Amino acid sequence: MDESIKTDRLGAEDSTEQRIFEAARDIFIQKGMEGAKMQEIADRAGLNKALLHYYYRSKEKLFEMVARSIINRAIPVIRKTIESDEPLHQKIAGFIDFYINLINHNPFVPLFIVSEMNKHPDSFYEKIMPIGVPKPQIFLKQVEEAIERGEIKPIKPEHLLINVVSMCVFPFLGKPMLRIVLSMDSAELKQFYDERTEVVKQFVFAALRPD
Amino acid sequence: MDESIKTDRLGAEDSTEQRIFEAARDIFIQKGMEGAKMQEIADRAGLNKALLHYYYRSKEKLFEMVARSIINRAIPVIRKTIESDEPLHQKIAGFIDFYINLINHNPFVPLFIVSEMNKHPDSFYEKIMPIGVPKPQIFLKQVEEAIERGEIKPIKPEHLLINVVSMCVFPFLGKPMLRIVLSMDSAELKQFYDERTEVVKQFVFAALRPD
DNA sequence: GTCTATAACTCGATAGAC
DNA sequence: GTCTATCGAGTTATAGAC
């Protein structure tokens, strides 16, 4: 089972175009638009610079393709979970399960998206628009109704949503910090991330449990 | 009351060196090492490029100074809170209060640190070393003791720490996302961030409350 | 210390052979 | 389609006048 956010194209054709795209994705994710160099991408793909331009015309266009592909893959996941109308508890649990698992397989994607959003919020918005901005209304309403029925402790729905997302995403952004501060080795880190799903679920549901 | 993370130097001397440093800090935080241009820093400082080299020799050295200064200011805050031996509940509450307030005044610092850490973990570690890596042992032990005494629900102390930090930091990293997904305007965002301190405290303590 | 002018260099992009 | 060689724009860095 491979949850990696790879590319838009289906199948695993090992075309030159594909190899360039994958090399570019890795480098852009790691170093950002300005930090990435065409030479480095070419080296990683095992080709020369000229070919990058042959297939993608310019660095900017190549970056566009990569960014779009990553966003196209990540956003629908959020949308689907947030917009579905399954029961609240189930939805939250499913969201945590799926989201942590997804990031676990694509640990650098959140930083890429967060950086992109902060540096170029407008171009990001344009990329998101066509595939549809996640609409949290259903979720927010579900929370309010659950509160009215006394099923969960009162909390502003927006804060609940952010709390859940924070605990899913941030540990991956702060991975190097964890390493240093908690002085964990690779094995301990892996275990830590494997435990996360259950821990976050328990934490959230404990926080929501009414008196 | 000014909680901004400004510079290493005390006082507010308006020397050329100082103006360059502050301009550089603003630009580097906003655009990163590669995205920032010496010309832009010079413009912001109201000087010419040559002076940047006169005072700081190279772009790399200037960046080093800025990065070091930001880290030197942010880390001791974490250390002090984590390493103190005040009672657990008080410590957690104080941590949330202080941390959210601090980031609220320096909203771009977390992204800078997270990006830096991920791009150059080694150079980051070297910068942190001399001022002392925060040692969470006291905190971790306090949590374990509180669990044994039945004062709080069982949870791995490391996860609790990360949960708290996540909910404090991530909402600022994801600000543009909040804007889009929750479609908040500036006023609503401000209110949202003002509410955060109380919401996070309540959420954490509710999650920790034993059955 | 501060400025202008320019050297030196990096890197994206193109030309042209194969 | 793929390569080597090179151009040219944009940047960092320095020389030298004031």
Side-chain angles (χ1 to χ4, degrees), chain A residues 30-32 34-35 37 75 78 108 111 113-115 117-119 121 124-125 128 133-134 136 140 153 155-156 158-163 165-167 169-174 176-178 180-182 184 191-192 195-196 199-200 203-204 206-211, chain B residues 30-32 34-35 75 78 108 111 113-115 117-119 121 124-125 128 133-134 136 140 153 155-156 158-163 165-167 169-174 176-178 180-184 191-192 195-196 199-200 203-204 206-211:
Chain A
Q30 208 188 320
K31 313 208 165 177
E34 293 85 4
K37 306 295 173 224
I75 300 301
I78 304 176
F108 297 113
L111 182 56
I113 292 184
V114 164
S115 301
M117 268 188 335
N118 277 280
K119 278 188 196 164
F124 185 86
Y125 185 66
I128 258 197
V133 177
L140 302 182
K153 232 186 162 81
I155 181 175
K156 262 208 184 178
E158 291 86 353
H159 283 287
L160 173 57
L161 179 60
I162 299 303
N163 285 351
V165 175
S166 297
M167 287 188 286
V169 179
F170 182 80
F172 294 92
L173 297 174
M177 182 70 98
L178 292 199
I180 296 177
V181 172
L182 300 177
M184 291 179 168
Q191 205 211 329
F192 182 81
E195 292 164 355
R196 271 258 115 199
V199 172
V200 173
F203 196 81
V204 171
L208 290 180
R209 192 189 41 162
D211 314 271
Chain B
Q30 207 187 319
K31 313 208 165 176
E34 294 86 4
I75 301 300
I78 305 176
F108 297 115
L111 183 56
I113 292 184
V114 164
S115 301
M117 268 189 332
N118 278 280
K119 280 189 197 163
F124 184 84
Y125 185 66
I128 263 195
V133 177
L140 302 181
K153 233 184 161 81
I155 180 173
K156 262 208 184 178
E158 291 86 353
H159 284 286
L160 174 57
L161 180 59
I162 299 303
N163 285 351
V165 175
S166 296
M167 287 188 285
V169 180
F170 182 80
F172 294 93
L173 297 174
M177 182 70 97
L178 292 200
I180 295 177
V181 172
L182 300 177
S183 46
M184 290 179 169
Q191 205 211 328
F192 182 82
E195 292 163 357
R196 271 257 115 199
V199 171
V200 173
F203 196 82
V204 171
L208 291 179
R209 192 188 39 162
D211 314 271

Side-chain angles (χ1 to χ4, degrees), chain A residues 130-165:
Chain A
I131 58 174
V133 177
K135 295 268 171 247
Q137 280 76 9
I138 296 179
F139 175 82
L140 302 182
K141 201 172 164 214
Q142 281 180 311
V143 173
E144 273 161 10
E145 288 168 357
I147 292 172
E148 271 170 33
R149 288 198 299 272
E151 288 167 19
I152 64 172
K153 232 186 162 81
I155 181 175
K156 262 208 184 178
E158 291 86 353
H159 283 287
L160 173 57
L161 179 60
I162 299 303
N163 285 351
V164 173
V165 175

Side-chain angles (χ1 to χ4, degrees), chain B residues 1-20:
Chain B
M1 171 163 78
D2 178 14
E3 277 91 353
S4 297
I5 293 173
K6 282 280 160 63
T7 166
D8 285 318
R9 292 161 198 76
L10 299 176
E13 45 163 339
D14 192 31
S15 64
T16 300
E17 192 175 354
Q18 185 72 2
R19 290 175 61 193
I20 293 173

Side-chain angles (χ1 to χ4, degrees), chain A residues 48-65:
Chain A
N48 56 73
K49 284 188 294 177
L51 278 176
L52 310 204
H53 288 95
Y54 178 78
Y55 282 104
Y56 293 95
R57 226 177 136 78
S58 71
K59 183 183 181 182
E60 206 179 326
K61 286 212 168 47
L62 179 53
F63 181 78
E64 271 296 298
M65 298 285 281

